[in-house]
Amino acid sequence: VLLRDISHELRSPLARLNVALELCRKRSDAEAGKALDRIEREACKLNELIEQLLTLNRVESGISGHEKTQIDLARLIHEISEDADFEARSTNRSVKFISRDECSIEGNEDLLRRAIENVARNSVRYTEEGSTVDISLCRIQGNGSPRGVITIRDHGSGVPEESIPHLFKPFYRAERGRDRESGGAGLGLAITEAAVRLHDGTVQAMNADDGGLIIEITLPILSRNIQTPG
């Protein structure tokens, strides 16, 4: 509750800061504009951090019954993949949804979207330039109820093995390029883990044998798929 209240209180002065920033731009010269650009970038980072803190607080607070719906998981991941690919192409990278099984899940679509998007965008950030982030969705039966396995794999340098158990902790950053400058606020994967756990799922990370990081999200799915009209 304290974290939520602090995050909300930070939004008002940040909004006033952005207004003041725009007023300064109208009255400044080109040299001052460089400093104002830096202020704007830092303000954006702060705004993102506040948003992530509020999301993490919401996830940790749980989901009420009326927030749950039946979700076509394949459709959701397809949308996320297309959005991530659009963003990735600006940095000479791409995202492909390489294989899918039809899966339906009961849950909160907004939180699941955020959870999967966080991993996809993280993978785009660290995959090598000119490479592809591969996403797949597989339906497995296993013992008991069926589960959907979402695999997101980049082609970057991976992370140190000792860092893998800590990747989903809030504010944790691994070494080797996944640092404070390029790694955002360090909350994205923590939000993913909390949202997945809230849906009775699990998430794990592993280094690929031939390079890159693999993140696997496993979620309980419905025994029967959603029947879409048409």
Side-chain angles (χ1 to χ4, degrees):
V1 176
L2 177 62
L3 187 61
R4 181 198 63 201
D5 291 344
I6 291 173
S7 299
H8 276 298
E9 289 300 320
L10 285 172
R11 280 186 155 178
S12 294
L14 182 59
R16 291 192 292 270
L17 174 64
N18 287 326
V19 172
L21 179 62
E22 288 306 311
L23 291 174
C24 288
R25 282 192 185 281
K26 293 177 181 179
R27 302 171 185 174
S28 65
D29 55 23
E31 187 63 29
K34 295 179 181 179
L36 293 174
D37 288 343
R38 179 57 185 266
I39 294 172
E40 184 176 24
R41 288 196 299 271
E42 297 302 328
C44 287
K45 289 181 182 179
L46 181 56
N47 190 60
E48 180 183 356
L49 174 58
I50 292 170
E51 181 63 32
Q52 289 184 327
L53 285 170
L54 290 171
T55 300
L56 185 59
N57 179 268
R58 179 189 172 200
V59 175
E60 294 290 1
S61 298
I63 301 175
S64 62
H66 68 271
E67 291 179 302
K68 290 184 178 181
T69 59
Q70 288 191 7
I71 305 160
D72 182 339
L73 202 53
R75 174 203 44 90
L76 179 64
I77 297 173
H78 174 72
E79 293 174 359
I80 292 170
S81 300
E82 286 199 327
D83 290 345
D85 183 61
F86 180 78
E87 296 174 11
R89 291 188 180 279
S90 65
T91 58
N92 192 29
R93 294 165 172 85
S94 62
V95 177
K96 291 183 178 178
F97 193 8
I98 57 174
S99 64
R100 74 191 75 182
D101 290 338
E102 294 303 316
C103 298
S104 303
I105 184 172
E106 184 175 89
N108 183 284
E109 182 164 338
D110 179 59
L111 293 182
L112 283 176
R113 183 183 296 274
R114 180 69 65 90
I116 300 166
E117 274 183 344
N118 285 347
V119 178
R121 286 176 171 165
N122 206 56
S123 297
V124 168
R125 184 179 295 123
Y126 297 114
T127 199
E128 293 290 341
E129 186 174 352
S131 69
T132 299
V133 172
D134 299 320
I135 303 179
S136 63
L137 171 62
C138 177
R139 181 188 179 95
I140 59 173
Q141 186 62 43
N143 295 323
S145 60
R147 305 183 78 79
V149 180
I150 306 161
T151 304
I152 302 175
R153 185 256 168 91
D154 68 47
H155 292 82
S157 58
V159 300
E161 287 295 328
E162 63 270 19
S163 295
I164 287 180
H166 309 289
L167 286 180
F168 302 99
K169 294 180 179 179
F171 300 108
Y172 182 81
R173 295 176 181 84
E175 299 173 356
R176 297 183 192 169
R178 296 180 183 242
D179 56 14
R180 184 174 296 273
E181 288 300 316
S182 61
L187 284 172
L189 293 182
I191 291 172
T192 293
E193 191 278 334
V196 169
R197 176 164 35 88
L198 196 61
H199 287 82
D200 298 321
T202 59
V203 58
Q204 61 179 337
M206 65 202 81
N207 283 312
D209 293 337
D210 55 347
L213 187 71
I214 300 171
I215 292 186
E216 187 177 273
I217 298 171
T218 303
L219 294 163
I221 57 175
L222 301 174
S223 298
R224 298 179 63 183
N225 290 327
I226 298 172
Q227 296 298 315
T228 56

